Amino acid sequence: MTQLAAAPTPSVRVRAPGKVNLSLRVGAPQDDGYHPLVTIFQAVALVEEVTARQVPEGAGVQLTVEGPQSERVPLDETNLAHRAAVLLAERVGVAADVALHLAKGVPVAGGMAGGSADAAATLVACDALWATGLSRDDLLGLAAELGSDVPFALLGHTAVGTGRGHLLTPAMTRGEFHWVFATRDDGLSTPEVYGRFDEQADGAHDPELSEDTALMQALRAGDPHALGAALHNDLQDAALSLRPDLERTLDVAREAGALGVLVSGSGPSVAALARSRQHALAIAATWTAEGAADAVWCTSGPAPGARLLA
Ligand code: ATP
């Protein structure tokens, strides 16, 4: 019996999550300039939705975007979604003709990897649209070429990342954790934060997962109090020295009873762990009332990785 390839669909929609680094441990830069990381990612239910539509041959990659802060998203070939479509097309030998619409639900330039989620979603969407039939491993390989946070946006849930953060091992967790994020309109540059980290971390040691034993235990037990106490970010001091006003955002959340609070990734977003959804809303309200955030976002984790929507 001959098996026919599935007919390409004219339009597909894929959802991919933003993330919080529950722990981010950073070593001294290596010869290639990259910092070795040991990080524990958790995907959260703030999501990006990418719709990929077929366009006439030769039309190229067409990009449109909607959602909060979308005016800050580049629409040219530097956009990570654009790069993802071109990379996949080159690798499988098809023409990179596609209309991509990004509906952004992850704060832009907040250290929550919204652009990486767009890239992961685009890989899954174009793979389906062009019926290229790549395996999960193939997609993970392409994702790692696009950026160190992109593989995690494919995988989702909770995972340990090593290397540049792109070598992933799923982590066991129980239950749901409630998060609130405080974002700022003016972002922090990731390279600048790493630069300040290098100045401050005179002879940083190589990071080890054994430093996060309590955190991994808290995840397995589904214990938000223990998780709050174990949150860790090596980049926090560097981010705070560039943006001292974030200190007050951390303090306000602590005073509102957050179980743990930290700068998210390279900032400037701040993540607070709450006892419940109700408590998350209360922390968000306090941040707003105190003027300690430009926007607040309540969500929960873990959330699934990039997946096709029906
Ligand atoms: P990173 O920490 O990787 O720099 P981030 O998680 O802080 O990123 P993103 O929203 O992913 O924040 O985007 C960071 C920058 O990347 C933006 O300021 C923007 O100029 C550029 N960018 C490229 N592609 C995208 C995209 N699809 N969505 C948002 N920003 C994008």
Side-chain angles (χ1 to χ4, degrees):
M1 194 172 82
T2 343
Q3 216 171 2
L4 294 175
T9 19
S11 153
V12 295
R13 207 150 53 92
V14 176
R15 183 175 289 169
K19 56 86 185 168
V20 57
N21 297 82
L22 306 176
S23 173
L24 178 55
R25 298 188 185 271
V26 184
Q30 295 169 324
D31 294 343
D32 60 6
Y34 282 100
H35 292 77
L37 304 181
V38 174
T39 186
I40 302 169
F41 294 109
Q42 180 156 92
V44 295
L46 296 176
V47 296
E48 303 281 280
E49 264 184 32
V50 173
T51 305
R53 232 176 357 90
Q54 278 183 346
V55 291
E57 213 178 305
V61 179
Q62 302 169 355
L63 206 55
T64 49
V65 60
E66 68 169 279
Q69 308 168 317
S70 53
E71 67 288 350
R72 296 167 66 191
V73 176
L75 289 177
D76 58 12
E77 64 288 344
T78 64
N79 191 294
L80 271 173
H82 192 294
R83 290 181 46 212
V86 169
L87 179 68
L88 175 60
E90 274 173 13
R91 219 42 74 79
V92 299
V94 302
D97 294 325
V98 63
L100 296 171
H101 181 72
L102 317 180
K104 298 200 63 79
V106 178
V108 177
M112 296 182 66
S116 300
D118 292 335
T122 299
L123 288 176
V124 173
C126 290
D127 177 56
L129 191 73
W130 297 333
T132 47
L134 292 189
S135 69
R136 201 71 180 167
D137 277 354
D138 293 334
L139 291 176
L140 282 168
L142 293 177
E145 289 183 46
L146 291 163
S148 41
D149 288 341
V150 183
F152 178 70
L154 275 180
L155 192 70
H157 302 283
T158 307
V160 178
T162 55
R164 296 174 201 164
H166 65 298
L167 304 171
L168 298 171
T169 311
M172 206 158 70
T173 68
R174 178 175 300 172
E176 188 182 24
F177 298 97
H178 298 277
W179 294 99
V180 208
F181 292 88
T183 56
R184 301 299 185 135
D185 290 341
D186 42 343
L188 261 177
S189 137
T190 303
E192 209 182 326
V193 174
Y194 273 97
R196 181 58 62 92
F197 171 81
D198 290 337
E199 287 162 25
Q200 290 178 340
D202 197 15
H205 70 298
D206 274 347
E208 302 271 356
L209 184 59
S210 56
E211 296 171 274
D212 289 314
T213 306
L215 195 156
M216 298 294 276
Q217 171 61 32
L219 287 172
R220 279 195 298 274
D223 179 344
H225 289 83
L227 180 62
L231 298 174
H232 178 84
N233 183 358
D234 272 347
L235 295 180
Q236 180 155 311
D237 287 349
L240 289 175
S241 81
L242 291 165
R243 287 288 299 266
D245 56 320
L246 296 180
E247 197 81 67
R248 204 169 96 73
T249 308
L250 296 170
D251 284 342
V252 169
R254 287 185 195 112
E255 283 157 24
L259 302 178
V261 57
L262 84 175
V263 170
S264 176
S266 57
S269 303
V270 168
L273 183 64
R275 289 189 301 271
S276 61
R277 178 164 162 72
Q278 213 51 36
H279 185 211
L281 291 169
I283 295 171
T286 312
W287 264 337
T288 305
E290 298 279 333
D294 290 326
V296 291
W297 313 66
C298 289
T299 187
S300 64
R307 65 199 162 113
L308 274 170
L309 300 176

